[in-house]
Amino acid sequence: MMTVEEDERIRNNLDTDDDIYDEDGNVRSDFLTLVVSALTERNVPFLQHNVARLHESEIGDLLESLQPEQRLSLVRLLGDDFDMTALTQVDEAIRRQIVDQMPNDQIAAAIGELDSDDAVYILEDLDQVDRDEILSQLPFTERVRLRRALDYPESSAGRRMQTEFVAVPPFWTVGQTIDYMRDEEDLPESFSQLFVIDPTFKLLGGVDLDRILRAKRHEKIETIMRETSHPIPAEMDQEEAAQLFEQYDLLSAAVVDDNDRLVGVLTIDDVVDVIHEEADEDIKRLGGVGDEELSDNVTSTVRSRFVWLFINLLTAILSSSIISVFDGSIEKMIALAVLMPIVASMGGNAGTQTMTVTVRALATGDLDIHNAWRVINKETCVGFLNGILFAIIMGAIATFWFHDSQLGIVIGAAMIINMVAAALGGILLPLALDRMGADPAIASSAFVTTVTDCTGYFAFLGIATWWFAIH
Amino acid sequence: MMTVEEDERIRNNLDTDDDIYDEDGNVRSDFLTLVVSALTERNVPFLQHNVARLHESEIGDLLESLQPEQRLSLVRLLGDDFDMTALTQVDEAIRRQIVDQMPNDQIAAAIGELDSDDAVYILEDLDQVDRDEILSQLPFTERVRLRRALDYPESSAGRRMQTEFVAVPPFWTVGQTIDYMRDEEDLPESFSQLFVIDPTFKLLGGVDLDRILRAKRHEKIETIMRETSHPIPAEMDQEEAAQLFEQYDLLSAAVVDDNDRLVGVLTIDDVVDVIHEEADEDIKRLGGVGDEELSDNVTSTVRSRFVWLFINLLTAILSSSIISVFDGSIEKMIALAVLMPIVASMGGNAGTQTMTVTVRALATGDLDIHNAWRVINKETCVGFLNGILFAIIMGAIATFWFHDSQLGIVIGAAMIINMVAAALGGILLPLALDRMGADPAIASSAFVTTVTDCTGYFAFLGIATWWFAIH
């Protein structure tokens, strides 16, 4: 048990130093140790004083640094002082683990305090039964709002929007509007624009707050509002919505239903999360790890990676079967077995380079029908030129290594062919997948290396077989 | 030449349909055709009417869809009506191409109209001589501001900040502040918070606009301001600044110099660009394509990719030399040559999976010293379990393929070893690179596949040699 003085000292110590991170951006080890021992000793005052006061994202990072059981005990010990928004800042696996262990009425009480977008974020992971039980314990308006947001498809703008917003009629003056905001208690926690609506909630326009502050009190809202040129349909995919935000540098945007009625507001901080998720997804798909997260357990990780590895096994067997066609040539000349992986590997890497650029350019919209031919052309040239360079280099190396200049010529020719094949595969396969409506990030790398492996083995062993047969 | 009626029709037609994009998000082909023919016919009214009115990002997309000479002719024909901010929306290569062809006085005139962050974005790409000439043509205050921003290191917060901001003293009332904003002409184009400073420009705090609107007119600014808990030092790397924005859901943040004096403001829209750039960088580095952009020309693309491919050639030769050690065994049993790429390829893919997760987790801060052991442990288990699964599958396939159950046992054993090596290499190499202060994304994939290729060949051929020697 800590003495009161010790505890006091630590408290003061932590108070003066506000930052829970070390210089590498990790949670400070000494802070973590203190939290862990407070958990073991069930020292609730310490936790209330030093953890509950943290920013939601700091609590999130702290949760990620703790062991699973410690996370639960932190949430239990803090009770009502635990800030549920912290759960929006952690991996899905950790969120599920914690929420599954919390009693539904505690979740309901906590959810009632959250902004609707955070509430939806937590509710959407729960199974139907728990979700319904929690919703039934919420006040009517709250429940209707959340249900409506949850009715929109997963990953849609409607799921990410906040249903709290400030809306005023067009005939109000600036003065009236400011007075309303001064007196109204029930405003969203923070907002950067007002919306202008008609009596049926139809969206007429928006006014940024700086515009209000610069206008005279007697000016009418309708004279200073601007048409919202980019209202976001609630059904729109969040990725598309994020692209609109980026393109037009929006801070917040109105979300409207099928009848153009204002149902919520999407804010840039949610969009930043979406941008992150989407980049993450692209990186992971290119690396063949689907939607896996760091905190997933061993079983689910094995399962999710197995599929990708199994596809790779099939493609590897396919390229090996090409090798087996030429087993006679290899038997006569073992050097072919030694050199063939080099041709395949160079093609694989060159193909991955082209594919990475293509997939990324497709995702950001930089590559489209207007410049596709130009890019295909460029990539083929690049592949051909690098093919020639590496044909010369590798040809020379093979000649010296095996004292056989003919082998050098053969590997050089195969290198050029495979580098051009790599360029074409690297750009055409993602383009084709994209055209077919598939995500080019997800399957491209398996397909591209299949092309380069098969072409590499076939070109090298085939040319060798033919060349040494006629010479 | 178009008739007046035709021209009129097109104009109206385009006016009614506001969207220049087709449903795939590409610039509409018919719009592009019209622009191109207007360029050929030097139809300036058409361009002024239909292009100059577009949003900067739309003009940017249009520029990217045009041929290089068409881009220049668009900029020339539009003259002063060309919105220079569009240049902040295109690839660096395209920006350089256009700016290099524009006379310096035209650039200077245009730069004077821009927000400082956009101006810096364009100026930083120019060479010293042009930059100085352009700066010398700007008004004094403008010049000093831009020079100061340009003095900060590349990719720092100081380079990305906007030097226009609204700052008020703490003793002003809300009423005074609102009146000041109503009367002051020279306010930034849009802003979401005010800063509070003392007479020496030392930062005291910030007030969000919604807070001002909710306060009574007589309230003092100092009573409603909040301490800016996260002022950003101008020297801070933009990536680090972006992480602060994300972590604390900021919309804008004060940028301060070494003496805590307010020098600018960093806004979320710039941060969104940074987040994109950084994700882009990670994806491209993992794919071995450095800082290449889609619009780079053939020569620079060949050059930038050559380095990576050359490194890969060396590592491929290294693994091939392992094969050559076992040429005697391959000579006796050609099946080894056929099967060995499968072991290497499976290891390479498993290693890439682990590496992708690790590199991404390091970039987002999810992986740190507190959970590194846990993750290493998990990855090793995953590698071992998938190793066993694929040992069984591939062992069975090899047994049937070559009618040799001993070959099945050998490849199974090699598979397990290589999958575990892949897991260890996939996590330990990025961690080691990160610890040494290197970017784990940049070199990991070359190193990881070297490990899995070498281990794969050595384990498979080594076990085979030993096994068939004793049986």
Side-chain angles (χ1 to χ4, degrees), chain A residues 21 26-27 29 32 55-58 61 64-67 71 178 181-183 187-191 209-210 213-217 246-249 251 268-269 272 275-276 279-280 283 286-289 292 294 296 298 301-302 305-306 308-310 312-313 316-317 320 323-324 327 330-331 334 337-338 340-342 345-346 349-350 353-354 356-357 360-361 366 368-370 374 378-379 382 385-386 389-390 393-394 397 419 457, chain B residues 21 26-27 29 32 55 57-58 61 64-67 71 178 181-183 187-191 209-210 213-217 246-249 251 268-269 272 275-276 279-280 283 286-289 292 294 296 298 301-302 305-306 308-310 312-313 316-317 320 323-324 327 330-331 334 337-338 340-342 345-346 349-350 353-354 356-357 360-361 366 368-370 374 378-379 382 385-386 389-390 393-394 397 419 457:
Chain A
Y21 300 103
N26 301 328
V27 175
S29 298
L32 198 62
H55 187 271
E56 57 198 59
S57 67
E58 295 171 336
D61 286 339
E64 291 188 340
S65 295
L66 291 171
Q67 304 286 340
R71 288 174 199 143
I178 295 183
M181 285 191 277
R182 284 200 185 127
D183 299 332
L187 290 179
E189 214 186 308
S190 77
F191 54 97
L209 294 192
D210 60 314
L213 283 167
R214 282 191 262 195
K216 312 278 176 212
R217 273 186 75 85
E246 269 185 274
Q247 171 140 36
Y248 299 107
D249 288 341
L251 289 181
I268 182 91
D269 54 313
V272 167
I275 293 174
H276 247 275
D280 227 55
I283 294 182
L286 282 171
V289 278
E292 183 185 318
L294 196 69
D296 286 353
V298 172
T301 309
V302 168
R305 293 197 194 163
F306 180 87
W308 180 253
L309 290 172
F310 189 75
N312 178 64
L313 181 67
I317 290 174
S320 282
I323 302 176
S324 73
D327 56 358
I330 296 175
E331 204 158 8
I334 292 299
V338 175
M340 67 184 185
I342 297 178
S345 155
M346 291 299 285
N349 274 274
Q353 288 180 326
T354 304
T356 305
V357 175
R360 198 57 199 154
D366 288 340
D368 60 26
I369 39 168
H370 306 305
R374 214 184 311 159
K378 181 190 113 178
E379 286 297 332
V382 170
L385 290 176
N386 264 330
L389 291 174
F390 284 102
I393 297 172
M394 194 55 222
I397 294 175
M419 295 290 252
Y457 294 134
Chain B
Y21 301 102
N26 300 328
V27 174
S29 299
L32 199 63
H55 186 272
S57 68
E58 295 171 336
D61 287 338
E64 291 188 339
S65 296
L66 291 171
Q67 304 288 339
R71 289 175 198 142
I178 295 184
M181 285 191 278
R182 282 198 187 129
D183 298 333
L187 290 180
E189 214 186 308
S190 76
F191 53 97
L209 293 192
D210 60 313
L213 284 168
R214 282 191 264 193
K216 312 279 175 209
R217 273 186 76 86
E246 268 186 273
Q247 171 140 37
Y248 300 106
D249 288 341
L251 289 181
I268 182 93
D269 54 314
V272 167
I275 293 175
H276 246 275
D280 227 55
I283 293 182
L286 282 171
V289 278
E292 182 184 321
L294 195 69
D296 285 352
V298 173
T301 309
V302 168
R305 293 195 193 165
F306 181 86
W308 180 253
L309 290 172
F310 190 74
N312 178 65
L313 181 66
I317 290 174
S320 283
I323 302 175
S324 73
D327 55 358
I330 297 175
E331 202 158 12
I334 291 299
V338 175
M340 66 185 185
I342 296 178
S345 153
M346 290 300 284
N349 275 274
Q353 288 180 328
T354 305
T356 304
V357 174
R360 197 59 199 153
D366 288 340
D368 61 24
I369 38 168
H370 306 304
R374 213 183 313 159
K378 180 189 114 179
E379 286 297 332
V382 171
L385 289 176
N386 263 331
L389 290 174
F390 285 102
I393 297 172
M394 193 56 223
I397 293 175
M419 295 290 252
Y457 294 135

Side-chain angles (χ1 to χ4, degrees), chain A residues 244-465:
Chain A
L244 281 180
F245 265 76
E246 269 185 274
Q247 171 140 36
Y248 299 107
D249 288 341
L250 308 175
L251 289 181
S252 63
V255 180
V256 294
D257 68 10
D258 295 344
N259 302 314
D260 274 338
R261 277 187 306 236
L262 182 65
V263 290
V265 52
L266 199 60
T267 52
I268 182 91
D269 54 313
D270 297 316
V271 169
V272 167
D273 294 338
V274 171
I275 293 174
H276 247 275
E277 278 171 34
E278 301 295 342
D280 227 55
E281 223 176 77
D282 270 4
I283 294 182
K284 288 186 174 160
R285 284 180 179 172
L286 282 171
V289 278
D291 296 328
E292 183 185 318
E293 292 188 73
L294 196 69
S295 54
D296 286 353
N297 63 28
V298 172
T299 328
S300 69
T301 309
V302 168
R303 202 179 307 136
S304 86
R305 293 197 194 163
F306 180 87
V307 181
W308 180 253
L309 290 172
F310 189 75
I311 294 170
N312 178 64
L313 181 67
L314 298 182
T315 67
I317 290 174
L318 178 67
S319 26
S320 282
S321 66
I322 291 180
I323 302 176
S324 73
V325 172
F326 298 100
D327 56 358
S329 308
I330 296 175
E331 204 158 8
K332 276 185 237 144
M333 195 176 207
I334 292 299
L336 296 180
V338 175
L339 291 175
M340 67 184 185
I342 297 178
V343 181
S345 155
M346 291 299 285
N349 274 274
T352 303
Q353 288 180 326
T354 304
M355 178 199 70
T356 305
V357 175
T358 308
V359 167
R360 198 57 199 154
L362 282 169
T364 57
D366 288 340
L367 180 62
D368 60 26
I369 39 168
H370 306 305
N371 58 4
W373 277 113
R374 214 184 311 159
V375 178
I376 293 172
N377 208 11
K378 181 190 113 178
E379 286 297 332
T380 317
C381 287
V382 170
F384 184 68
L385 290 176
N386 264 330
I388 289 179
L389 291 174
F390 284 102
I392 296 169
I393 297 172
M394 194 55 222
I397 294 175
T399 304
F400 281 101
W401 190 350
F402 295 95
H403 311 288
D404 185 342
S405 63
Q406 304 207 11
L407 197 56
I409 293 169
V410 170
I411 198 169
M415 193 71 94
I416 296 173
I417 292 172
N418 205 22
M419 295 290 252
V420 172
L424 289 173
I427 187 161
L428 294 179
L429 284 170
L431 276 175
L433 286 168
D434 186 58
R435 182 58 62 91
M436 294 186 305
D439 178 353
I442 213 162
S444 295
S445 68
F447 288 154
V448 171
T449 49
T450 307
V451 168
T452 55
D453 278 352
C454 291
T455 312
Y457 294 134
F458 188 79
F460 180 56
L461 299 174
I463 294 175
T465 306

